[in-house]
Amino acid sequence: MAFSEDLKERIKKIMSKYETKQSALIPVLHEVQREYGWLSLDSMKEVAELLSIPPADVQNVATFYTMFFTKPVGKHIIWLCRTLPCALRGAQQVEHYISEKLGIKPGETTPDGKITFFEAECLASCGTAPVMLVDDELYENLTRKKIDELIEKLRAD
Ligand code: FES
């Protein structure tokens, strides 16, 4: 894999904001993931080369944080909070409902590649539990009706 000139330019711009190239690792990984949807081994190697760090260091960071995907994911990502306040407000029933609707379990992607469903720890909106993050948008006080509408929208996209 070779990054496009455009992506390399964006990476250089990110690196220029940091004192050392290595400090730019996390934002660079975000940029690469934005471009490809996930971080392949080849793209991690290329990041390592650009930042002059060992590929294993890049891989360690990419596999440590749940926000980085090291295998392909769907076009849309659902993160359902499962921490206690959400659990007390029905997160487990929400999980079952979403799994049933999508025909997948947490950690899986729908066969059409549209939606990946993950469980998450507290999304910092406990007062409006149960909540989920879909792509970058927070959905609160979840009900079956809200979930139905949202999934319909994601499937149509
Ligand atoms: S516990 Fe779900 S948002 Fe905090």
Side-chain angles (χ1 to χ4, degrees), residues 21-22 47-54:
K21 287 199 239 179
Q22 291 85 347
V47 167
E49 211 168 285
L50 290 168
L51 270 56
S52 310
I53 52 178

Short mmCIF file of all heavy atoms in Angstrom, two decimals, residues 21-22 47-54:
data_model
loop_
_atom_site.label_atom_id
_atom_site.label_comp_id
_atom_site.label_asym_id
_atom_site.label_seq_id
_atom_site.Cartn_x
_atom_site.Cartn_y
_atom_site.Cartn_z
N LYS A 21 8.16 14.00 15.51
CA LYS A 21 7.27 13.27 14.60
C LYS A 21 6.47 12.22 15.36
O LYS A 21 5.30 12.01 15.13
CB LYS A 21 8.13 12.53 13.55
CG LYS A 21 8.75 13.39 12.50
CD LYS A 21 9.12 12.49 11.33
CE LYS A 21 10.59 12.53 11.02
NZ LYS A 21 10.97 11.64 9.92
N GLN A 22 7.15 11.57 16.31
CA GLN A 22 6.54 10.47 17.05
C GLN A 22 5.32 10.91 17.85
O GLN A 22 4.38 10.15 18.02
CB GLN A 22 7.57 9.84 18.01
CG GLN A 22 8.67 9.10 17.33
CD GLN A 22 9.84 10.02 16.89
OE1 GLN A 22 9.73 11.25 16.88
NE2 GLN A 22 10.95 9.41 16.55
N VAL A 47 2.79 4.28 8.25
CA VAL A 47 2.82 5.31 9.29
C VAL A 47 4.15 5.24 10.04
O VAL A 47 4.79 6.26 10.30
CB VAL A 47 1.62 5.15 10.27
CG1 VAL A 47 1.81 6.00 11.52
CG2 VAL A 47 0.30 5.50 9.58
N ALA A 48 4.58 4.02 10.36
CA ALA A 48 5.84 3.84 11.08
C ALA A 48 7.00 4.46 10.30
O ALA A 48 7.86 5.14 10.87
CB ALA A 48 6.08 2.35 11.31
N GLU A 49 6.98 4.22 9.00
CA GLU A 49 8.05 4.77 8.16
C GLU A 49 8.02 6.30 8.16
O GLU A 49 9.05 6.95 8.35
CB GLU A 49 7.85 4.26 6.74
CG GLU A 49 9.14 4.09 5.97
CD GLU A 49 8.88 3.31 4.70
OE1 GLU A 49 8.70 2.08 4.79
OE2 GLU A 49 8.84 3.96 3.65
N LEU A 50 6.83 6.85 7.99
CA LEU A 50 6.72 8.32 7.94
C LEU A 50 7.12 8.97 9.27
O LEU A 50 7.67 10.06 9.30
CB LEU A 50 5.28 8.74 7.59
CG LEU A 50 4.83 8.45 6.16
CD1 LEU A 50 3.33 8.64 6.01
CD2 LEU A 50 5.58 9.37 5.19
N LEU A 51 6.82 8.29 10.36
CA LEU A 51 7.11 8.86 11.68
C LEU A 51 8.46 8.40 12.25
O LEU A 51 8.82 8.77 13.37
CB LEU A 51 5.99 8.52 12.67
CG LEU A 51 4.82 9.51 12.75
CD1 LEU A 51 4.18 9.75 11.42
CD2 LEU A 51 3.82 9.06 13.77
N SER A 52 9.15 7.56 11.47
CA SER A 52 10.45 7.02 11.91
C SER A 52 10.38 6.33 13.26
O SER A 52 11.16 6.61 14.17
CB SER A 52 11.51 8.14 11.98
OG SER A 52 11.52 8.89 10.81
N ILE A 53 9.39 5.46 13.40
CA ILE A 53 9.29 4.66 14.62
C ILE A 53 9.09 3.19 14.24
O ILE A 53 8.66 2.91 13.12
CB ILE A 53 8.15 5.13 15.57
CG1 ILE A 53 6.83 5.22 14.81
CG2 ILE A 53 8.47 6.43 16.22
CD1 ILE A 53 5.66 5.64 15.70
N PRO A 54 9.38 2.26 15.14
CA PRO A 54 9.22 0.85 14.79
C PRO A 54 7.75 0.52 14.52
O PRO A 54 6.86 0.99 15.25
CB PRO A 54 9.72 0.11 16.05
CG PRO A 54 10.50 1.10 16.81
CD PRO A 54 9.93 2.45 16.49
#
